[in-house]
Amino acid sequence: FASASAMVVRLGAKLLCRKCGRPRKGHTPGQCPGAEAAPSVPKSRHDRQKEKDPAAPKPPTSAYFVFVGENRATVQAELGGRQKELYEELGRRWQAQSEADRGTYKAKFQKNVDKYEAELLEYRHSGAEAAFLRKRKAAKEAAGTAAAGPSSGGAASSSSAPRPLAADSGLLPPPPAKKSRVAAV
């Protein structure tokens, strides 16, 4: 850790040491008594986030970020200065754009969305997603952690069939018609 403050976790009003998990009463993180035998400190919410497949396609950026990507260099050349000022000016320029001007960036965004959906469909049908999910599930079971939610007997969670993108993409059949509940008289 770069500093001692990076090794401290605040829990309520108590400060806990990340090495030993005990309240920090007079000991510095480098001098933790019994750091080896102490229970592990629960991970932060950020550390517990699901692992993402690095081979999965990256989602497209919004129309605003397409605008920022194309105009960052020119605005930075005009302003110089700090990042905060740069992005404030880019935000002002985006707000000043007319709907017609924004339409060009929205069209580029939609083109990126179409490309992403095609890549995602290819990724799912290649079996790479199913392999990654099996690998992640095996690692989770090996670590001894329980799966999130009740087990459904492997009906959908362990299936290696590719998942469809959306119901409106034509990959799913239409939902069944609802039956009326009118009683026969």
Side-chain angles (χ1 to χ4, degrees):
F1 292 102
S3 67
S5 64
M7 295 183 64
V8 177
V9 177
R10 182 174 288 280
L11 183 66
K14 296 182 180 180
L15 292 176
L16 302 178
C17 177
R18 286 195 183 196
K19 277 192 173 180
C20 65
R22 291 192 241 162
R24 257 187 64 191
K25 288 186 180 178
H27 78 278
T28 61
Q31 303 167 340
C32 293
E36 297 82 24
S40 64
V41 176
K43 290 185 175 183
S44 69
R45 182 178 63 101
H46 176 72
D47 294 339
R48 290 185 303 228
Q49 288 181 352
K50 283 187 178 179
E51 176 186 358
K52 293 183 180 180
D53 187 3
K58 305 294 181 239
T61 58
S62 69
Y64 169 71
F65 284 109
V66 172
F67 168 80
V68 168
E70 291 181 3
N71 294 293
R72 181 186 299 119
T74 58
V75 173
Q76 192 167 23
E78 292 173 12
L79 294 179
R82 299 182 320 168
Q83 293 292 316
K84 180 181 177 184
E85 296 165 356
L86 169 71
Y87 288 106
E88 285 175 352
E89 179 61 26
L90 284 166
R92 280 193 286 275
R93 289 185 185 193
W94 175 254
Q95 291 296 323
Q97 294 278 323
S98 67
E99 276 301 315
D101 292 337
R102 286 188 191 186
T104 60
Y105 298 107
K106 289 179 181 179
K108 290 177 184 180
F109 165 69
Q110 190 57 47
K111 183 179 173 185
N112 291 341
V113 167
D114 296 339
K115 180 182 173 186
Y116 169 72
E117 287 179 348
E119 289 174 355
L120 186 62
L121 192 60
E122 180 182 327
Y123 166 72
R124 287 181 173 166
H125 285 289
S126 71
E129 180 185 38
F132 173 75
L133 293 174
R134 281 193 303 269
K135 181 180 173 184
R136 186 173 70 186
K137 184 176 180 181
K140 192 173 189 179
E141 289 172 356
T145 58
S151 176
S152 60
S157 60
S158 64
S159 172
S160 63
R163 295 183 330 196
L165 270 178
D168 59 347
S169 67
L171 298 175
L172 291 177
K178 292 187 177 183
K179 298 178 183 177
S180 64
R181 294 185 159 230
V182 178
V185 181

